[in-house]
Amino acid sequence: MGATGPSTGGFTLPGEAGHEDYTLAMAERWGADVIRDSDGTSLSREILDSGLGIYSTLCLVREDNEWATAHPDKLQQNFLMTTPVTADSDEVTIDLLAGYSRDQFVVDDRDGLELWQVFDRTTGVEVRPERWELVEGGRVTVHGAEAWHTYTVNFLVTRIWEEISMYNHVTNGWGDREHLRAVEPRDPEVREHLLAWLEQWCVDHPDTTVVRFTSLFYNFAWFWGDDPQLPHVYADWGSYDFTVNPVALREFRATTGLTITSEDFVNAGRYTSTHNPPSGVYRAWMAFVQDFVLDLGRQCVEIVHRHGKQAYVFYDDSWIGLEPFSGRFAEYGFDGLIKAVFSGYEARLCAAADVPTHELRLHPYLFPIDLEGRPTFAPGGDPTSDARACWTTVRRALLRAPIDRIGLGGYLSLTEPFEDFQDYVAQVAAEHRLIRALHAEGAPHASPVRVGVVTAWGALRTWSTSGHLHENPDLLLTHVLESLAGLPLRVTFHSLAAVAADGVPGDIDVLVNAGDAGSAWSGGDAWAEPALVSAVTAFVARGGGLVGLGQPSATAFSTRFFQLADVLGVDQDTGDRIRVMARTFDVAPTHPVLDHGADVAGLAPRPGVFVTRSDVTVLAAHGTNPLATAARFGDGRAVYLTGHRHGPTAARRLENAILWAAGTDRGGWWAQDPRADVAAFPASGRLVVVSAADEPITTTVHGGTPRTVTVAPGGMVTLAM
């Protein structure tokens, strides 16, 4: 293989009827072998007859809007909690939908009123059903209320406008298009209709080579509001809130013998956020939903295969219940998984899934404005810069794990005035083909160090927290994952409950625990389990490594806040001690973890963090607060960092921390300048050096014979090893 790789293939182009000449010209220019439709576009006969593969996008639960409109009792439902209202007398009336979008939700009291719950949130006690009533106008009146106590209602709603349809309307100004509705597949009549509709659709679309399911049946939770200052009340990409309806709740009880209530979903307004440690009954509900989605999804895939087509699934939008890391994903029989990506860890998520073909949909999406409401293909937009930011971010992860295909989505015609964007996409396609070809010849070199990320979720949230990085810009573990995504380390994901039960897996060298106290990522009350603390403590004492970031192992229990304080050598006073004296320390002038000296970017002070013993090495500090520490414990080592925000220096610091905790030195191939990532492909005899910097960089590449390499802004260089 040469240094340029193949010139065509592995690229999916969004086509657009009415722009046939431009569509086919871009297919040739970008080396596309597949053309797809998108929300709001269609493919004409000229495009279908182009000889290229054809992806057709389907979201089954919202495809037949005429049928959905004719069957309003078959739409999807969920629980909402009202905005808290304070009683000023012994009676209080609550407007159920106050603050929520009445375009999205309607109160549903047709069935399941016994599932509603009213709470005195001041006492935390549920109000007995005989003390409240549903009154005219979508309101609930509570009788015998306590004055100056706050009350809420958990109530059922039907969603009359599907969330992604709402987003597309707002983003693209689709004021004249119908509002799509999502039907509930647990209803036997809906299920029968969906399967029959898909069967006929396959007959009617002989040109389609791949049915691209826009996920399957249930969207992540996204509550829209009616307040301009709060247009979105709640959103969480991993939440199962939209899987709830009376039929499912009753079936769950009959199947499992467990009772799950509205409050198990509402959770005092926190809902089933992925950021919160899951309860046992909620995990059981998730498994129950996953079984259903797998059963019906597998039937859909079988229909597609019976018609001689392939079935791909898009891991975004209505992905809830799909769960690529449930251990059963291969049972669907999907031929490919497509992931929308902004970040490297999302590429690693896609690459890690058990499916034959892995594809990324890059950004920007070909819409006038982006997900943040900023212009892209509109006045004031700079789509080439957006594309470069996405690709250079994702590319470093692609050096570590192979991706088979990349592509775009949206309105291709929007790109026609942007010649520089067209040129850049051609460059991206060529770079991807080269990287893909290198992977095909043999895996890249990786450090022997094996890293285990431990959270409450474990492997179920492999290379994921909740959503995209820009939606959770301050979430510590997401930044950690983004740094890990491009490092030459072997990374796996493990649950704290499994570690408590079975100990640290024998193939792990270093554990990473990162997040805020109480979160699913740090672990919350899981750390009150003595078996977990003992297992990790023993692991480090016997020679293992630990890297803790933020508030690792934190919960208010026993004599410590960080339950691994003895191992880490640091703890945190959250205000319940107000210590008069703090142990003094000196900051070490140098240490392998901080190979850039005083650069402490992303290490924000955490008030109350203190050193617990004299043999802890403080690597950086803010006044009396340590920012980074290193400690030995028994035969092992531990590093503590107050935080982490992904960037070249921070990623290098995290890698240093892991290597030091593992008791090993840096090996393989690496660049002196942390802004450059290096991947070695021994089977091909090639080195790939990439940079996301906005300026040229010149650096020494170590490994074998050191050499000096200059990389253009956002560029990629290939060298002989």
Side-chain angles (χ1 to χ4, degrees), residues 293-456:
V293 172
L294 174 59
D295 179 63
L296 184 55
R298 188 164 42 200
Q299 293 179 59
C300 294
V301 172
E302 289 170 354
I303 290 173
V304 170
H305 285 168
R306 191 163 61 246
H307 287 271
K309 308 177 190 300
Q310 289 190 310
Y312 283 23
V313 66
F314 179 59
Y315 179 84
D316 275 293
D317 297 355
S318 299
W319 76 271
I320 295 299
L322 191 68
E323 296 295 359
F325 301 103
S326 66
R328 304 189 66 192
F329 184 67
E331 296 179 34
Y332 282 99
F334 285 120
D335 303 288
L337 175 71
I338 303 170
K339 179 75 179 80
V341 292
F342 292 87
S343 303
Y345 72 88
E346 296 171 307
R348 294 296 300 268
L349 182 158
C350 182
D354 186 4
V355 68
T357 301
H358 307 84
E359 179 170 337
L360 304 181
R361 193 197 74 195
L362 303 177
H363 281 262
Y365 198 75
L366 309 185
F367 273 1
I369 63 174
D370 68 10
L371 290 171
E372 304 289 289
R374 297 169 301 203
T376 50
F377 298 95
D382 185 355
T384 304
S385 293
D386 293 342
R388 182 178 294 108
C390 174
W391 177 242
T392 56
T393 298
V394 169
R395 183 179 56 192
R396 63 187 290 271
L398 269 58
L399 296 179
R400 311 303 174 192
I403 287 292
D404 304 293
R405 306 184 55 82
I406 61 173
L408 297 168
Y411 290 81
L412 182 65
S413 59
L414 292 174
T415 71
E416 192 162 5
F418 297 90
E419 185 73 23
D420 57 339
F421 178 82
Q422 299 166 27
D423 289 342
Y424 188 71
V425 172
Q427 175 185 329
V428 166
E431 289 184 1
H432 172 252
R433 292 184 190 106
L434 173 58
I435 294 171
R436 183 185 63 172
L438 290 170
H439 277 289
E441 292 191 7
H445 174 270
S447 167
V449 174
R450 299 159 300 182
V451 178
V453 178
V454 286
T455 68

Side-chain angles (χ1 to χ4, degrees), residues 411-499:
Y411 290 81
L412 182 65
S413 59
L414 292 174
T415 71
E416 192 162 5
F418 297 90
E419 185 73 23
D420 57 339
F421 178 82
Q422 299 166 27
D423 289 342
Y424 188 71
V425 172
Q427 175 185 329
V428 166
E431 289 184 1
H432 172 252
R433 292 184 190 106
L434 173 58
I435 294 171
R436 183 185 63 172
L438 290 170
H439 277 289
E441 292 191 7
H445 174 270
S447 167
V449 174
R450 299 159 300 182
V451 178
V453 178
V454 286
T455 68
W457 289 109
L460 191 68
R461 293 290 173 260
T462 290
W463 289 115
S464 178
T465 51
S466 179
H468 306 297
L469 181 55
H470 65 267
E471 293 163 331
N472 296 280
D474 298 319
L475 189 62
L476 174 56
L477 183 58
T478 308
H479 284 271
V480 171
L481 296 184
E482 185 61 15
S483 292
L484 289 173
L487 295 176
L489 299 167
R490 307 166 195 268
V491 183
T492 51
F493 296 80
H494 307 270
S495 77
L496 295 166
V499 172

Side-chain angles (χ1 to χ4, degrees), residues 399-400 442-446 488 668-669 678-688 721:
L399 296 179
R400 311 303 174 192
H445 174 270
W669 289 262
V678 181
F681 291 86
S684 306
R686 308 294 298 180
L687 290 179
V688 180
M721 288 178 62

Side-chain angles (χ1 to χ4, degrees), residues 30 123 177 180 204 231 276 283 321 397 408 442 446 481 495 507 539 541 545 558 624 635 645 680:
W30 295 342
T123 63
R177 299 198 183 189
L180 302 184
D204 295 341
N276 296 326
R283 289 298 296 261
L408 297 168
L481 296 184
S495 77
D507 59 352
F539 165 75
S558 188
T624 60
D635 292 332
R645 292 191 73 86

